[in-house]
């Protein structure tokens, strides 16, 4: 109970830090104001602190007694969303909002650094404060800059926490072994036709119906070429061609996101999608290219580390506070890059405000998303307990 009690005791300060970060959200890899707030929160603690070169990350190493290394990660970046929550600590910056709750992660991780610094840990803890989760692969940048070797030896385990404004009741933790979140890749398609007068399409090569056929063929590909028990999602989110009704354009372009939950399906997407696009174009005497860009891999939770995290949740908060997620989440996470190299677990934490139905509350990334401060103390305690108990295991 000691760590939980200590976390509850400093909950007000954790919330203050969270509100300060929330008021001044920053997007991408360069978050100088957020970084300054983290450095101020860690000031005076017995930590080896280094900051990123190509991004405004903060890596803090706490050395205790002899023992292994554990890594705890919190992301720090906001989204290009204009906040509409009317919270007293709402974003002061139009077009930027902590709509994914990363302000809570940063504040909780700083709180955990403070709690763990107050005692002697049986090993070493790396605190990974990461910019650029929302599409900038900040975790990969930090790995390239050496975060996994920050303590001189590799961590035996890595843990990440993520709050959610809906689905889970406030204070409920959720995780699962294996695929936890999807891989997310981007497909960019350009169909090359030949423009002309809309009244005589046979003298032109119209790219629009061909591109439309590709969009529907991609949906058929999903159901005909993939195992229903290893599903994929393809969504065309952007489609552009032409300027007016009486001109056939030269080109049509569209963008799609592809989500998958296994390396097999991901490789198959990368192979089948460009082939299908090319074949459809050729069938109509046109040319097309599809660029399949790998973005975030599947976030794979290690079975043993996930069982350990679930046991920790039950021991610290009671079994009723943890659930085993039945399905993975179709969103993606760049913590996946860490879990490719270090076994670990990613855990969701409900932060739905009181009086709101988790099933209908605005989702993460919504301009209306609200994350309750009530989750802060227990998120902080879980970070600290995961490190302490995992180090004690050796
Ligand atoms: Zn997000
Ligand atoms: Zn997020």
């Amino acid at each position: 109970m000691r760590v939980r009690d200590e976390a509850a005791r400093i909950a007000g300060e954790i919330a203050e830090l969270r509100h300060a970060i929330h008021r001044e959200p920053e997007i991408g890899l360069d978050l100088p104001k957020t970084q300054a707030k983290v450095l101020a929160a860690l000031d005076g603690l017995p930590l080896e602190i280094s900051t990123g070169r190509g991004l405004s990350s903060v890596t803090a190493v706490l050395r205790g007694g002899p023992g292994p290394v554990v890594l705890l990660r919190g992301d720090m970046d906001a989204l290009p969303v204009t906040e509409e929550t009317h919270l007293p600590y709402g974003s002061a910056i139009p077009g930027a909002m902590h709509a994914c709750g990363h302000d809570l992660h940063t504040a909780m991780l700083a709180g955990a650094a403070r709690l763990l610094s107050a005692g002697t840990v049986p090993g070493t803890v790396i605190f990974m404060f990461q910019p650029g989760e929302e599409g900038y692969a900040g975790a990969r940048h930090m790995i390239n800059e050496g975060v996994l070797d920050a303590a001189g030896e590799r961590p035996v385990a890595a843990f990440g926490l993520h709050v959610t404004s809906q689905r889970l009741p406030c204070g409920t933790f959720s995780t699962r072994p294996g695929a936890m979140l999807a891989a997310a890749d981007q497909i960019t398609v350009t169909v090359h036709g030949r423009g002309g007068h809309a009244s005589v399409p046979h003298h032109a090569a119209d790219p629009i119906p061909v591109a439309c056929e590709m969009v529907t063929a991609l949906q058929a590909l999903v159901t005909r070429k993939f195992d229903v028990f290893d599903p994929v999602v393809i969504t065309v989110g952007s489609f552009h061609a032409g300027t007016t009704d009486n001109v056939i354009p030269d080109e049509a372009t569209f963008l799609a996101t592809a989500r998958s939950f296994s390396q097999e399906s991901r490789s198959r997407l990368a192979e089948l999608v460009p082939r299908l696009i090319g074949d459809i174009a050729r069938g109509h005497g046109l040319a097309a290219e599809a660029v399949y860009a790998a973005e975030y891999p599947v976030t794979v939770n290690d079975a043993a580390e996930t069982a350990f995290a679930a046991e920790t949740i039950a021991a610290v908060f009671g079994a009723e506070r943890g659930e085993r997620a039945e399905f993975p989440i179709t969103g993606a996470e760049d913590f996946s890059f860490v879990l490719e190299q270090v076994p670990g677990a990613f855990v969701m934490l409900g932060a739905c405000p009181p009086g709101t139905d988790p099933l209908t509350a605005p989702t993460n990334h919504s301009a209306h998303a609200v994350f309750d401060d009530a989750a802060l103390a227990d998120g902080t305690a879980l970070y600290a307990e995961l490190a302490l108990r995992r180090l004690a295991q050796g």
Side-chain angles (χ1 to χ4, degrees):
M1 285 298 282
R2 195 185 61 81
V3 169
R4 252 188 103 177
D5 294 343
E6 283 300 299
R9 197 178 58 74
I10 63 166
E13 288 147 70
I14 301 168
E16 257 176 55
L17 174 59
R18 185 241 159 160
H19 296 171
I21 295 168
H22 194 93
R23 263 185 224 107
E24 283 193 292
E26 297 176 294
I27 298 165
L29 295 172
D30 187 30
L31 322 171
K33 290 176 177 167
T34 311
Q35 184 189 46
K37 291 181 183 84
V38 169
L39 291 172
L42 303 181
D43 190 39
L45 300 180
L47 301 165
E48 295 164 16
I49 291 179
S50 56
T51 52
R53 295 182 295 279
L55 72 175
S56 55
S57 57
V58 177
T59 301
V61 178
L62 175 66
R63 291 187 195 278
V69 180
V70 163
L71 181 145
L72 303 174
R73 177 271 207 164
D75 45 8
M76 310 198 283
D77 58 318
L79 283 156
V81 170
T82 296
E83 181 157 354
E84 290 184 39
T85 63
H86 309 294
L87 289 168
Y89 56 86
S91 170
I93 298 165
M97 174 186 175
H98 271 289
C100 203
H102 298 182
D103 50 330
L104 286 89
H105 308 161
T106 308
M108 294 187 301
L109 190 59
R114 199 168 137 196
L115 290 185
L116 292 171
S117 295
T120 305
V121 295
T124 299
V125 185
I126 302 173
F127 301 91
M128 174 182 178
F129 292 92
Q130 182 215 305
E133 192 287 321
E134 299 285 358
Y136 297 84
R140 194 176 58 204
H141 287 281
M142 286 190 76
I143 292 169
N144 290 342
E145 291 196 356
V147 68
L148 300 181
D149 298 303
E153 64 179 284
R154 282 279 163 127
V156 292
F159 300 99
L161 262 185
H162 205 301
V163 291
T164 171
S165 60
Q166 46 87 248
R167 200 181 71 76
L168 292 175
C170 192
T172 299
F173 296 96
S174 175
T175 190
R176 73 195 301 278
M180 179 71 194
L181 290 107
D185 300 322
Q186 191 180 57
I187 305 161
T188 306
V189 176
T190 310
V191 184
H192 304 283
R194 191 174 66 255
H197 200 292
S199 65
V200 283
H202 58 293
H203 288 313
D206 189 350
I208 293 180
V210 179
C212 291
E213 198 175 312
M214 289 169 181
V215 173
T216 48
L218 286 172
Q219 296 311 309
L221 181 84
V222 166
T223 68
R224 302 298 87 184
K225 294 289 185 190
F226 290 88
D227 185 339
V228 68
F229 297 111
D230 183 13
V232 300
V233 175
I234 299 180
T235 295
V236 176
S238 161
F239 189 104
H240 293 280
T243 52
T244 187
D245 67 332
N246 62 356
V247 178
I248 291 172
D250 281 330
E251 259 180 27
T253 59
F254 65 88
L255 289 175
T257 185
R259 308 287 164 123
S260 53
F261 300 93
S262 70
Q263 192 47 51
E264 299 72 49
S265 280
R266 195 181 189 207
S267 310
R268 217 164 139 67
L269 279 167
E271 180 200 333
L272 294 183
V273 169
R275 196 175 82 192
L276 179 68
I277 297 298
D279 286 353
I280 291 174
R282 267 190 298 282
H284 292 281
L286 277 65
E289 68 271 338
V291 178
Y292 192 97
E295 293 190 335
Y296 290 177
V298 184
T299 300
V300 182
N301 280 345
D302 177 80
E305 299 302 341
T306 306
F308 158 76
E311 282 159 24
T312 302
I313 291 162
V316 175
F317 303 100
E320 71 286 354
R321 290 278 301 279
E323 66 148 44
R324 184 192 188 280
E326 191 176 356
F327 301 111
I329 297 167
T330 49
E333 245 300 328
D334 70 354
F335 190 58
S336 51
F337 290 112
V338 174
L339 293 183
E340 280 186 333
Q341 300 198 35
V342 180
F346 194 67
V347 179
M348 303 299 293
L349 167 58
C352 191
T356 345
D357 179 354
L359 295 178
T360 55
T363 60
N364 287 35
H365 291 205
S366 158
H368 300 275
V370 177
F371 303 87
D372 202 81
D373 284 343
L376 289 169
D378 286 349
T380 302
L382 183 65
Y383 268 134
E385 289 280 13
L386 286 171
L388 283 172
R389 288 168 189 250
R390 186 61 186 83
L391 290 174
Q393 272 190 1

